[in-house]
Amino acid sequence: MPFNITTVVFSKLQTLFTSDHASVVSLNLFVALLCACIVIGHLLEENRWMNESITALVIGLCTGVIILWRSGGKSSRLLVFSEDLFFIYLLPPIIFNAGFKVKKKQFFRNFITIMMFGAIGTLISCTVISLGATYMFKEMDFGSLDIGDFLAIGAIFAATDSVCTLQVLHQDETPLLYSLVFGEGVVNDATSIVLFNAIQSFDLSDINFRIALKSIGKFFYLFSASTMLGVFVGLASAYIIKMLYFGRHSTDREFALMMLMAYLSYILAELFYLSGILTVFFCGIVMSHYTWHNVTESSRVTTKHTFATLSFVAETFIFLYVGMDALDISTWRVNDRPRTSLMVSSILLALVMAGRAAFVFPLSYLANLSNKSSSENISFREQIIIWWAGLMRGAVSMALAYKQVMELGQTELRKNAVMITSTITVVLFSTVVFGIMTKPLIRVLLPHPKITTSMLSEASTPKSSTMPFLGSADNSFDDNLGAAHRPSSIRELLATPTHTVHRYWRKFDNAFMRPVFGGRGFVPFVPGSPTERSEHNLLHKESSESDVCNF
Amino acid sequence: MPFNITTVVFSKLQTLFTSDHASVVSLNLFVALLCACIVIGHLLEENRWMNESITALVIGLCTGVIILWRSGGKSSRLLVFSEDLFFIYLLPPIIFNAGFKVKKKQFFRNFITIMMFGAIGTLISCTVISLGATYMFKEMDFGSLDIGDFLAIGAIFAATDSVCTLQVLHQDETPLLYSLVFGEGVVNDATSIVLFNAIQSFDLSDINFRIALKSIGKFFYLFSASTMLGVFVGLASAYIIKMLYFGRHSTDREFALMMLMAYLSYILAELFYLSGILTVFFCGIVMSHYTWHNVTESSRVTTKHTFATLSFVAETFIFLYVGMDALDISTWRVNDRPRTSLMVSSILLALVMAGRAAFVFPLSYLANLSNKSSSENISFREQIIIWWAGLMRGAVSMALAYKQVMELGQTELRKNAVMITSTITVVLFSTVVFGIMTKPLIRVLLPHPKITTSMLSEASTPKSSTMPFLGSADNSFDDNLGAAHRPSSIRELLATPTHTVHRYWRKFDNAFMRPVFGGRGFVPFVPGSPTERSEHNLLHKESSESDVCNF
């Protein structure tokens, strides 16, 4: 009988939402600040140093100072951070939009590399940070940290925030780099959250080989079940909208259904104790591949922009909040020795940098080994950018830190305070200092971004209209579609599976999936598709089938 | 120092949003039900009897039965209705979209009639219901109702819900009728909420002439201040977007700013203790007249559909909830005599019908007196439709009833139970029974809807392309624009002010407003404008100024 509890839970809403004028005041302030962030972010768009995240953080900090002063040094926040508010309302639109906008072709072509960086890399990073923290913090005295705490610290600081870097890189100028940084960012978010939940749910007092194996098994179960759920909900939405042909009566119904089903995929995953973040990401991918092509033109434009805007507002909201929260006196006060806190933060920052270096360069070497063509290799300069892109820590780290503090309970105030203050310091420092350095660094490392030749010179021929999807170095792929690949070297051997899988997937998609679930079908290019930004003039009506699909 | 309280208020969020699996269950169920409503509503689109509201109500009822059975007869609800959840999150998008979509030309041309129906009519209706209830309920014994309670009952049951009727009427077939029913619905919502708040805030123990005069003064202050705030925020958004030219960098920023500023107008009004509903309505009108024309094409499509969809989902949510809530045992149990409850509900339904008849027919007569041309008269059949359109009671009545119950406190359980159960009965009965009868009734009364001749026959000439805006009987208006109107009869005398005001407004708009705030400017027609639905082929590039604007 879960419904009795439910009524009780929601009855709290009633006491919460009573017409309290104070909550109207803070709601006003928050919405006004969001508007200010948007306007100022727009004005600073062409600024060399700033970006949207830093703007929101700085505005949050300034507001925090004002509130602190108004309240007589008591508190700097308008609302207490709730990690569930974050995980239930703010994160889903961000991740869904990531899946909806990801260049599927690039993503799946680099699938293995992205997975290496995102999953194995995060594990390596988490291990390095955990071990480093265990070793370094042993001498300091801030409560007794056990192995679970150290692993949690590892998971918290393994969660990267690549927003800063993505605002500087461009999908069309550096498609490979963009797709690697973007893909890794999404997979990293998912991995660190799954990892963190796994660490919290296991009994870590006695670890043995069987439990470790069980953990790995559970990790893979979570990963595959979440993915399948996302794909299932996405396909269901495509099927329903295609079968019932909603556009016939109302654009708004299509849009509402897409939005609600996307959100449904996330909360269904939460219902089954899966990873909502992975589910909603794959739901986004499937929706942009099938559902999005089944709706009317207006719905396409609307969904594309609305999902992007929701994601953008949620991100701004988070940074605004983190900035405001940074000055909160109550957490800083408990932590009586600021020198300790500063040292802990510095150590963590160093560990973050080391942990990331420990996997970016070795894994890039491995990825380069598996590439057929040398033009697809990740150069050393690009490796530095990938390394740099993951140094910033953001909202996910904050949310996980708060979750860990909740778990520990109010009794262990000292440990909590260290955890929160050091997380805030690392997030603030990395976002502002590293963030400001990102634009100049990338300008130095990539002075003349490689423009894909196909985009500039061959854009007028129908065949090449699909080239931007295929990436800059994909010349041999489509031509060889019919011929069987014979692996002749270790590179070929490593590269073949991805290409073969992709080829079979395309055949399967055309033969079985599209007739049922709709999707792009035989139109070579859809202008304004959610994954495209600048190829608005490349519409060609030829229904040449083989070089069409980008999934 | 309001910030201390604020922190305390929002700290409740923390306890509320703890990862409670039960709340995830109900969230899932709610989102799934919303999806079901959309799909079923789509399938029943062409059904003769049903509409979206009834579908949502019936699905809510069925779910309520299942939950009641699952919980062993304890409760039928997933979440306790919070009138602040309704007023802060669900109502603003509905009203904003109403303002955004209203045909401004029609609305302002019929401004006086609409205001008569919406404001004076609601006052008459409220008075009739209050007096009737005072007279009829004196003999029954369900706690002591004082004059404040009777006035509250009047305000609660004066709030109409014209959604059912608007789903059947068409803006292009019957423009006058549509604009009257639509405009009255919006003004009525605002009036009854303002009225209710006024009744609650006054000390009604001793009423004298001075207090009554003061009340009327306060009512007008609320009305004008709220309107001005809405216009101000709308103009501010137009100015900011025009000056900074957001489209240059990002469509999403424009959209985010429009959405946030629309919501800001609502909560700013709440902050200053004004009527948010009026503010957001006029903000919507100003935004659709100025701001909407300053943004990029994609933003236009996106905002138009997103606002409509949000409004649609909020409406569905409300009806779903009302259906689920109807069976809630706890309120029915306190009310031990079901016969009393039934009698009260029947009396209230009769009073609602009488109260509406008491103003629709007299005010229609007055409106007909003031019309220049007989073709703009409201025929008796149309009067019946207007009367019928306001018989349904919906979400606003429910929300006001809950608010009244909160005000009374938990001590007066008997009085509360009667109030809630009778409101639920009236809402359910009127929405389902009257709602089902709406489509057939309108088919009988308007067997061949007047198609405006200008739409069909003259659509190919540039001049007539603006005719749909002007309404079917507006032939003499534009031609006489330059000539001075000399009032020659009582009709002319009554009709002149509106036309003159409109003419001066257009001149003022062209000379001063548009250069500053943007807006449509000199383009005769913008296809797909939020107020237009079916004239997609009428784009004419002539910049003929005088017959252009529709404000």
Side-chain angles (χ1 to χ4, degrees):
Chain A
M1 238 73 80
F3 297 111
N4 297 345
I5 320 156
T6 319
T7 313
V8 174
V9 170
F10 271 94
S11 74
K12 283 193 232 164
L13 265 171
Q14 208 149 19
T15 55
L16 178 76
F17 286 112
T18 40
S19 307
D20 199 315
H21 203 253
S23 62
V24 172
V25 172
S26 49
L27 200 56
N28 262 293
L29 201 58
F30 237 91
V31 174
L33 285 176
L34 278 176
C35 291
C37 285
I38 293 170
V39 171
I40 294 171
H42 167 77
L43 294 175
L44 295 175
E45 175 84 26
E46 267 138 38
N47 188 288
R48 193 187 164 88
W49 306 94
M50 297 299 278
N51 67 45
E52 214 103 47
S53 322
I54 302 177
T55 313
L57 262 183
V58 170
I59 291 178
L61 270 174
C62 296
T63 320
V65 170
I66 295 168
I67 299 173
L68 200 62
W69 173 66
R70 282 286 310 269
S71 71
K74 271 179 197 137
S75 169
S76 78
R77 327 188 254 199
L78 288 177
L79 47 93
V80 173
F81 193 87
S82 143
E83 89 284 351
D84 273 2
L85 173 73
F86 172 74
F87 280 109
I88 292 185
Y89 300 108
L90 297 175
L91 197 58
I94 296 176
I95 305 293
F96 176 80
N97 187 54
F100 201 69
K101 272 215 167 160
V102 77
K103 278 201 175 191
K104 293 176 290 293
K105 181 87 183 184
Q106 280 286 343
F107 183 80
F108 283 102
R109 268 185 63 76
N110 301 315
F111 192 72
I112 290 176
T113 317
I114 288 170
M115 277 298 161
M116 278 200 328
F117 280 121
I120 301 169
T122 308
L123 279 172
I124 294 174
S125 176
C126 174
T127 314
V128 169
I129 296 170
S130 296
L131 289 178
T134 315
Y135 180 77
M136 303 288 276
F137 293 167
K138 219 142 228 177
E139 271 108 84
M140 301 180 194
D141 58 324
F142 41 84
S144 52
L145 293 169
D146 58 22
I147 184 161
D149 292 327
F150 285 119
L151 284 175
I153 288 174
I156 290 169
F157 289 100
T160 66
D161 186 345
S162 39
V163 173
C164 282
T165 315
L166 290 178
Q167 284 175 352
V168 185
L169 293 178
H170 291 287
Q171 202 162 9
D172 308 309
E173 289 170 3
T174 52
L176 175 70
L177 198 56
Y178 186 93
S179 101
L180 286 182
V181 169
F182 183 93
E184 193 224 310
V186 172
V187 180
N188 165 282
D189 279 353
T191 312
S192 45
I193 292 172
V194 172
L195 205 61
F196 183 83
N197 288 336
I199 288 167
Q200 278 204 326
S201 67
F202 291 142
D203 180 22
L204 290 154
S205 51
D206 57 334
I207 298 181
N208 57 32
F209 183 71
R210 225 185 96 250
I211 290 178
L213 213 70
K214 214 175 136 192
S215 310
I216 294 170
K218 189 172 177 187
F219 186 85
F220 278 101
Y221 161 73
L222 272 182
F223 209 96
S224 52
S226 306
T227 306
M228 281 190 312
L229 180 65
V231 171
F232 173 77
V233 176
L235 287 179
S237 76
Y239 185 76
I240 291 172
I241 287 178
K242 185 173 177 246
M243 277 306 108
L244 301 180
Y245 185 27
F246 272 84
R248 178 164 50 122
H249 290 315
S250 151
T251 289
D252 302 335
R253 279 208 197 99
E254 292 180 333
F255 174 40
L257 203 65
M258 274 181 83
M259 206 160 52
L260 287 172
M261 287 196 77
Y263 191 62
L264 188 64
S265 80
Y266 186 84
I267 53 174
L268 267 180
E270 296 291 314
L271 184 70
F272 299 137
Y273 301 102
L274 299 172
S275 163
I277 203 166
L278 273 172
T279 305
V280 83
F281 177 70
F282 281 96
C283 183
I285 290 182
V286 172
M287 276 201 174
S288 84
H289 187 63
Y290 294 111
T291 319
W292 194 78
H293 296 278
N294 295 347
V295 299
T296 57
E297 177 63 32
S298 331
S299 291
R300 271 181 230 159
V301 176
T302 308
T303 47
K304 184 179 144 191
H305 290 297
T306 306
F307 293 146
T309 306
L310 286 180
S311 158
F312 163 70
V313 171
E315 244 166 44
T316 311
F317 183 92
I318 291 167
F319 280 106
L320 196 58
Y321 178 79
V322 170
M324 234 182 256
D325 197 59
L327 290 171
D328 188 54
I329 284 299
S330 57
T331 35
W332 289 99
R333 196 175 288 148
V334 181
N335 186 19
D336 39 0
R337 264 161 290 182
R339 213 178 121 266
T340 316
S341 182
L342 203 71
M343 253 181 74
V344 170
S345 307
S346 316
I347 293 171
L348 284 172
L349 263 174
L351 286 175
V352 161
M353 294 173 89
R356 193 157 174 86
F359 77 86
V360 167
F361 300 107
L363 292 182
S364 297
Y365 178 76
L366 266 179
N368 284 346
L369 272 189
S370 71
N371 276 337
K372 291 190 304 180
S373 60
S374 63
S375 64
E376 237 178 3
N377 274 356
I378 309 167
S379 72
F380 185 66
R381 288 179 164 208
E382 287 173 329
Q383 290 175 26
I384 292 178
I385 291 176
I386 293 174
W387 174 70
W388 185 267
L391 289 184
M392 274 69 85
R393 294 297 174 268
V396 175
S397 294
M398 285 295 293
L400 290 180
Y402 273 106
K403 207 167 181 176
Q404 172 73 1
V405 165
M406 296 284 147
E407 204 73 7
L408 288 173
Q410 290 293 321
T411 47
E412 306 196 54
L413 278 176
R414 179 116 180 74
K415 218 155 103 179
N416 285 355
V418 173
M419 190 80 91
I420 293 292
T421 50
S422 55
T423 311
I424 289 174
T425 315
V426 171
V427 167
L428 271 187
F429 185 85
S430 65
T431 305
V432 175
V433 178
F434 292 173
I436 282 181
M437 287 160 70
T438 301
K439 269 191 197 180
L441 183 85
I442 290 179
R443 296 252 167 93
V444 168
L445 290 174
L446 296 176
H448 301 291
K450 294 182 285 183
I451 305 269
T452 59
T453 46
S454 59
M455 273 177 62
L456 295 180
S457 59
E458 299 165 63
S460 55
T461 66
K463 179 97 172 81
S464 69
S465 73
T466 55
M467 294 310 284
F469 294 102
L470 303 175
S472 57
D474 192 50
N475 307 318
S476 59
F477 180 56
D478 265 59
D479 304 333
N480 294 340
L481 198 70
H485 284 281
R486 256 172 256 278
S488 58
S489 70
I490 184 160
R491 280 189 170 173
E492 282 283 313
L493 196 68
L494 281 163
T496 308
T498 335
H499 290 172
T500 315
V501 167
H502 193 110
R503 192 154 53 94
Y504 281 119
W505 160 245
R506 281 169 57 167
K507 277 191 177 170
F508 178 72
D509 190 32
N510 282 327
F512 297 104
M513 300 297 275
R514 284 187 178 149
V516 181
F517 299 109
R520 176 181 309 199
F522 302 125
V523 185
F525 181 77
V526 176
S529 112
T531 60
E532 286 310 301
R533 294 190 308 177
S534 57
E535 281 81 48
H536 286 295
N537 306 318
L538 297 177
L539 180 61
H540 298 286
K541 290 278 180 203
E542 289 84 355
S543 48
S544 54
E545 186 185 341
S546 68
D547 59 0
V548 152
C549 23
N550 76 335
F551 196 88
Chain B
M1 237 75 78
F3 297 113
N4 297 345
I5 320 157
T6 319
T7 314
V8 174
V9 169
F10 271 95
S11 74
K12 283 193 230 165
L13 264 171
Q14 207 147 19
T15 56
L16 178 76
F17 286 113
T18 40
S19 305
D20 198 314
H21 202 252
S23 62
V24 172
V25 172
S26 51
L27 200 56
N28 262 292
L29 199 59
F30 237 91
V31 175
L33 285 177
L34 277 176
C35 290
C37 285
I38 292 169
V39 171
I40 295 171
H42 167 77
L43 294 175
L44 294 175
E45 174 85 26
E46 266 139 38
N47 187 288
R48 193 188 164 87
W49 306 95
M50 296 298 278
N51 65 47
E52 215 103 47
S53 322
I54 302 178
T55 313
L57 262 183
V58 170
I59 291 178
L61 270 174
C62 297
T63 319
V65 170
I66 295 169
I67 298 173
L68 200 63
W69 172 68
R70 282 285 310 269
S71 71
K74 271 179 197 139
S75 170
S76 77
R77 325 188 256 199
L78 289 176
L79 48 92
V80 173
F81 192 86
S82 144
E83 89 283 353
D84 273 1
L85 173 74
F86 172 75
F87 280 109
I88 291 184
Y89 300 108
L90 298 175
L91 197 57
I94 298 177
I95 305 293
F96 177 79
N97 187 53
F100 201 69
K101 272 216 167 158
V102 77
K103 279 201 174 191
K104 293 178 289 293
K105 182 86 184 185
Q106 280 285 343
F107 183 80
F108 285 102
R109 267 185 64 75
N110 300 314
F111 192 72
I112 289 176
T113 317
I114 288 171
M115 277 299 160
M116 278 198 330
F117 280 122
I120 300 168
T122 308
L123 278 172
I124 294 174
S125 176
C126 174
T127 313
V128 169
I129 296 170
S130 295
L131 289 177
T134 315
Y135 180 78
M136 303 287 278
F137 293 168
K138 217 143 230 178
E139 272 107 84
M140 301 179 193
D141 58 324
F142 40 86
S144 53
L145 294 170
D146 57 23
I147 185 161
D149 293 326
F150 285 118
L151 283 175
I153 288 175
I156 290 169
F157 290 99
T160 66
D161 185 346
S162 40
V163 173
C164 283
T165 315
L166 290 178
Q167 284 176 351
V168 185
L169 293 178
H170 292 287
Q171 202 162 9
D172 308 308
E173 289 170 4
T174 51
L176 175 69
L177 198 55
Y178 186 92
S179 101
L180 286 183
V181 169
F182 182 91
E184 192 224 312
V186 172
V187 180
N188 165 282
D189 278 353
T191 312
S192 45
I193 292 171
V194 172
L195 206 61
F196 183 83
N197 288 336
I199 288 166
Q200 278 204 327
S201 67
F202 291 140
D203 180 22
L204 290 154
S205 51
D206 59 331
I207 298 180
N208 57 32
F209 183 70
R210 227 185 95 250
I211 290 177
L213 213 70
K214 213 174 135 192
S215 312
I216 294 171
K218 189 173 178 186
F219 186 84
F220 278 101
Y221 160 73
L222 272 181
F223 210 96
S224 52
S226 306
T227 306
M228 279 188 313
L229 180 66
V231 170
F232 173 76
V233 176
L235 287 179
S237 76
Y239 185 76
I240 290 172
I241 287 178
K242 185 173 176 247
M243 277 305 109
L244 301 180
Y245 185 26
F246 272 85
R248 177 164 50 121
H249 290 314
S250 151
T251 290
D252 301 335
R253 279 209 197 97
E254 291 180 333
F255 174 41
L257 203 66
M258 273 180 84
M259 206 160 52
L260 287 171
M261 286 196 78
Y263 190 62
L264 188 64
S265 80
Y266 186 83
I267 52 175
L268 267 181
E270 296 291 314
L271 184 70
F272 299 137
Y273 301 102
L274 299 172
S275 163
I277 204 166
L278 274 172
T279 305
V280 83
F281 177 71
F282 280 97
C283 183
I285 290 182
V286 172
M287 277 201 173
S288 84
H289 187 64
Y290 295 111
T291 320
W292 193 78
H293 296 278
N294 295 345
V295 298
T296 57
E297 178 64 32
S298 332
S299 291
R300 271 180 229 160
V301 177
T302 308
T303 46
K304 184 179 145 189
H305 291 297
T306 306
F307 293 146
T309 307
L310 286 179
S311 158
F312 164 70
V313 171
E315 245 167 42
T316 312
F317 183 92
I318 291 168
F319 279 106
L320 196 58
Y321 178 79
V322 170
M324 232 181 256
D325 196 59
L327 291 171
D328 187 56
I329 285 296
S330 55
T331 35
W332 289 100
R333 196 176 288 149
V334 181
N335 186 19
D336 39 0
R337 264 160 290 184
R339 212 178 122 264
T340 316
S341 181
L342 202 71
M343 252 180 76
V344 170
S345 307
S346 318
I347 292 172
L348 284 171
L349 263 175
L351 285 176
V352 161
M353 295 173 88
R356 194 159 174 85
F359 77 85
V360 167
F361 301 106
L363 291 183
S364 299
Y365 178 76
L366 267 179
N368 284 346
L369 272 189
S370 72
N371 276 337
K372 291 191 302 180
S373 59
S374 62
S375 63
E376 238 179 4
N377 276 355
I378 308 166
S379 71
F380 186 65
R381 290 181 162 206
E382 288 174 328
Q383 290 175 27
I384 292 179
I385 291 176
I386 293 173
W387 173 71
W388 185 267
L391 289 184
M392 274 69 84
R393 293 297 173 270
V396 175
S397 294
M398 286 294 294
L400 291 180
Y402 273 107
K403 205 167 181 177
Q404 172 72 2
V405 165
M406 294 287 146
E407 203 73 7
L408 288 173
Q410 289 293 319
T411 47
E412 305 196 54
L413 278 176
R414 179 115 180 74
K415 218 155 102 178
N416 285 355
V418 173
M419 190 81 90
I420 292 292
T421 50
S422 55
T423 310
I424 289 173
T425 314
V426 171
V427 167
L428 270 187
F429 185 85
S430 65
T431 306
V432 175
V433 178
F434 292 172
I436 283 180
M437 287 160 71
T438 302
K439 269 191 198 181
L441 183 86
I442 290 179
R443 295 253 167 91
V444 168
L445 289 175
L446 296 176
H448 301 291
K450 293 183 286 184
I451 306 267
T452 57
T453 47
S454 59
M455 273 176 61
L456 295 180
S457 58
E458 298 166 62
S460 55
T461 65
K463 180 95 173 77
S464 70
S465 72
T466 54
M467 294 309 285
F469 293 102
L470 303 175
S472 57
D474 191 51
N475 306 318
S476 59
F477 180 56
D478 264 60
D479 304 333
N480 294 339
L481 198 69
H485 283 280
R486 255 174 257 277
S488 57
S489 70
I490 184 160
R491 280 188 170 175
E492 282 283 312
L493 196 68
L494 280 162
T496 308
T498 335
H499 289 173
T500 315
V501 168
H502 194 110
R503 191 153 53 95
Y504 281 119
W505 160 245
R506 279 169 58 167
K507 277 191 177 171
F508 178 71
D509 190 32
N510 282 327
F512 298 104
M513 299 297 276
R514 283 186 178 151
V516 181
F517 299 109
R520 176 182 306 200
F522 302 124
V523 185
F525 181 77
V526 177
S529 113
T531 60
E532 286 310 300
R533 295 189 308 178
S534 56
E535 280 82 46
H536 285 295
N537 306 318
L538 295 178
L539 180 62
H540 298 288
K541 290 278 179 204
E542 290 83 356
S543 49
S544 53
E545 187 187 339
S546 69
D547 58 0
V548 151
C549 24
N550 77 336
F551 196 87

